[in-house]
């Protein structure tokens, strides 16, 4: 009986092979986060097959070229099978596949702001490889180094400052993290204020002096 039955979707089941028939690449330079992969296999299942070399030209049958750490995580979970696709290449080609599979991942980048938005929309971070600390760092790094300030030329205009949606407000050298609810309340209050006044001028004083909350009509600001 498996410690954890293989979590392989029906679409990949025809590719399932015994893990006992496979071996890791003999010179894999990559150090993977096996713990995160274990969590992903548990939560998400195996959503893509690993790549295995038949070994006709290398003398090493069943050697994994792509997905070595997925294989390791599956073994640690007690899986007896894993989905795999096969190639049959010589030593040089096998090495190139291993190196490029790792290198293309290294060269990839992120739209940090979009990634943070996507992660925040999830009910939890399980199976994403992120925890709350990593998400907080991502949110912080998605802010511009210098936040835009209102100038004389634009004073009174409605300025869309996207950093608010990431849960921070800043003045001077002070930056405060705020909740999604607080962001929504600020947006609603600002919209009501601007629609009534047609300007942003005095909005800070309005918040400080009136203790405004979402939905309040900014009547005090007209006094």
């Amino acid at each position: 009986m498996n410690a954890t039955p293989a979590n392989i979707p029906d679409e990949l089941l025809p590719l399932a092979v015994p893990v006992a028939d496979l071996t890791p690449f003999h010179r894999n330079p990559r150090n993977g986060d096996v713990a995160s992969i274990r969590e992903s296999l548990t939560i998400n299942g195996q959503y893509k097959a690993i790549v295995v070399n038949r070994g006709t030209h290398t003398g090493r049958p069943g050697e994994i070229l792509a997905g070595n750490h997925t294989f390791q995580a599956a073994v640690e979970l007690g899986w007896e099978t894993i989905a795999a696709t096969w190639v049959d290449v010589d030593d040089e080609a096998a090495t190139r596949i291993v190196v490029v599979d790792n290198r293309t991942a290294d060269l990839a980048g992120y739209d940090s702001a979009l990634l943070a938005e996507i992660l925040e929309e999830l009910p939890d971070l399980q199976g994403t490889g992120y925890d709350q600390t990593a998400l907080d760092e991502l949110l912080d790094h998605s802010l511009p180094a210098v936040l835009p300030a209102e100038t004389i030329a634009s004073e009174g205009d409605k300025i869309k400052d996207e950093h608010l949606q990431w849960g921070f407000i800043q003045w001077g050298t002070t930056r405060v993290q705020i909740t999604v609810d607080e962001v929504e309340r600020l947006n609603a209050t600002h919209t009501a204020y601007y629609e009534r006044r047609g300007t942003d001028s005095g909005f800070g004083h309005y918040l400080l002096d009136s203790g405004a909350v979402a939905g309040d009509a900014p009547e005090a600001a007209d006094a």
Side-chain angles (χ1 to χ4, degrees), residues 53-101:
N53 193 17
R54 294 193 183 280
T56 302
H57 307 288
T58 65
R60 298 186 299 275
E63 187 176 50
I64 300 165
L65 304 185
N68 278 278
H69 296 101
T70 299
F71 170 78
Q72 182 180 339
V75 170
E76 292 181 7
L77 287 171
W79 289 18
E80 294 181 355
T81 60
I82 191 169
T85 58
W86 296 82
V87 296
D88 197 5
V89 297
D90 61 19
D91 270 312
E92 179 181 328
T95 300
R96 291 182 185 277
I97 291 170
V98 171
V99 172
V100 74
D101 185 64

Side-chain angles (χ1 to χ4, degrees), residues 194-219:
Y194 188 85
E195 288 178 351
R196 189 170 186 87
R197 295 287 302 276
T199 177
D200 278 327
S201 293
F203 183 64
H205 286 294
Y206 168 64
L207 289 176
L208 294 170
D209 296 341
S210 67
V213 295
D216 286 352
E219 297 173 355

Side-chain angles (χ1 to χ4, degrees), residues 2-77:
N2 293 350
T4 303
N7 192 359
I8 303 173
D10 292 343
E11 292 78 5
L12 292 182
L13 277 178
L15 301 177
V17 298
V19 297
D21 293 347
L22 308 179
T23 58
F25 189 68
H26 68 295
R27 298 182 68 198
N28 186 16
R30 186 74 162 184
N31 294 318
D33 187 345
V34 178
S36 292
I37 299 172
R38 282 200 312 269
E39 180 181 284
S40 176
L41 289 178
T42 302
I43 301 298
N44 305 314
Q46 186 187 2
Y47 50 82
K48 64 178 179 179
I50 65 174
V51 179
V52 182
N53 193 17
R54 294 193 183 280
T56 302
H57 307 288
T58 65
R60 298 186 299 275
E63 187 176 50
I64 300 165
L65 304 185
N68 278 278
H69 296 101
T70 299
F71 170 78
Q72 182 180 339
V75 170
E76 292 181 7
L77 287 171

Side-chain angles (χ1 to χ4, degrees), residues 27 65 113 159 174 180 192:
R27 298 182 68 198
L65 304 185
I159 300 173
T174 301
V180 172

